[in-house]
Amino acid sequence: MSDKNSGGKLEKFFEGKGFYIVLFLCAAVIGVSAWMLASGNRTMLKEAKEANSPRLDNKKVETVILPPAKEETRPVIKPQPPLPAEEPEAAEETAEESAEETAEVWQNSEADSNTYLWPMTGELERGHDTEKLSYDMTLQDWRTHEGIDILSPLGSTVAAAHGGTVESVYTDSLYGTCVRVSHGDGTASIYANLADPCAVSEGDVLKAGDVVGAVGNTAICESGQSSHLHFAIEVNGESVDPLQYLPA
């Protein structure tokens, strides 16, 4: 009898306000459980971060100050002023002095039809040699040298070494502007590396000491040498040593 009464009361309770009370309690339990679960997760994450992060307790941090880098200093090289070019008057004076020296040599020589004179004054730079090879500074090879090279400044006067007739005035591919004088006895003298134009023409009759031209720089094959006259003598078309004919 009592059990039936109790069961009836419970049914009435749930049918009335009791149902909402139970529903509220369930929601509260679920909310508290969710809050506790979220709090636990945050605590675990915090502890994990602290465990993984390095601790700076009892550690000193030293500040290192680096000195500024020194800039590399280089010496300043000042350009040197160009050398002054030789004035035309000085060059003309040099040529005139050379002509005077050459004329003096001719005047002091007993010139006749059988005498050879030096075509100009100057130091002998390279001698004649058709048998022994010598090194050519310009062409950078070994070759013979059919003539002699007499050092003299550009523009220096070149004179006929012996009387004769101008056989030809021509331009050689190696020796530049040339004058060939025939002496009428099977001999001929050749003046090469002359300035262009020359002072003579084909057919001119010269005597020893007459002006043939001036020292130039037209000889391509000897352009590596100092300024000079290339002088040669041929006998019946064969090259001979000019020093055998020129006065000692």
Side-chain angles (χ1 to χ4, degrees), residues 26-40:
C26 291
V29 170
I30 293 171
V32 171
S33 298
W35 177 80
M36 293 179 66
L37 181 61
S39 298

Side-chain angles (χ1 to χ4, degrees), residues 125-137:
E125 180 186 36
R126 191 176 178 187
H128 173 276
D129 201 333
T130 57
E131 296 180 358
K132 183 180 178 181
L133 297 177
S134 61
Y135 186 73
D136 189 291
M137 296 177 59

Side-chain angles (χ1 to χ4, degrees), residues 47-218:
E47 291 177 354
K49 289 182 179 179
E50 292 178 354
N52 294 329
S53 61
R55 297 186 177 182
L56 301 178
D57 298 342
N58 299 325
K59 292 184 179 180
K60 296 181 179 180
V61 179
E62 296 182 358
T63 303
V64 179
I65 302 176
L66 297 176
K70 295 183 179 180
E71 295 183 359
E72 184 180 357
T73 58
R74 297 182 179 180
V76 178
I77 302 176
K78 296 182 179 180
Q80 298 295 326
L83 294 176
E86 184 179 1
E87 298 181 359
E89 294 181 358
E92 291 177 1
E93 290 178 359
T94 302
E96 290 177 358
E97 291 175 0
S98 175
E100 291 176 358
E101 292 176 359
T102 305
E104 184 179 353
V105 172
W106 296 329
Q107 292 172 2
N108 294 335
S109 301
E110 296 179 359
D112 55 41
S113 59
N114 296 320
T115 302
Y116 279 80
L117 304 177
W118 282 84
M120 66 188 318
T121 58
E123 181 181 351
L124 186 65
E125 180 186 36
R126 191 176 178 187
H128 173 276
D129 201 333
T130 57
E131 296 180 358
K132 183 180 178 181
L133 297 177
S134 61
Y135 186 73
D136 189 291
M137 296 177 59
T138 304
L139 301 179
Q140 297 183 354
D141 60 4
W142 294 82
R143 59 179 58 220
T144 58
H145 190 238
E146 297 181 351
I148 60 174
D149 295 336
I150 306 171
L151 292 175
S152 190
L154 286 174
S156 300
T157 302
V158 177
H162 195 61
T165 303
V166 177
E167 185 177 328
S168 60
V169 178
Y170 59 97
T171 301
D172 186 83
S173 59
L174 293 178
Y175 287 97
T177 303
C178 302
V179 171
R180 181 184 178 89
V181 178
S182 175
H183 305 301
D185 56 358
T187 63
S189 54
I190 299 95
Y191 310 81
N193 196 33
L194 297 175
D196 187 27
C198 299
V200 296
S201 302
E202 184 177 340
D204 288 351
V205 178
L206 305 176
K207 62 180 182 294
D210 286 347
V211 176
V212 174
V215 174
N217 56 356
T218 56

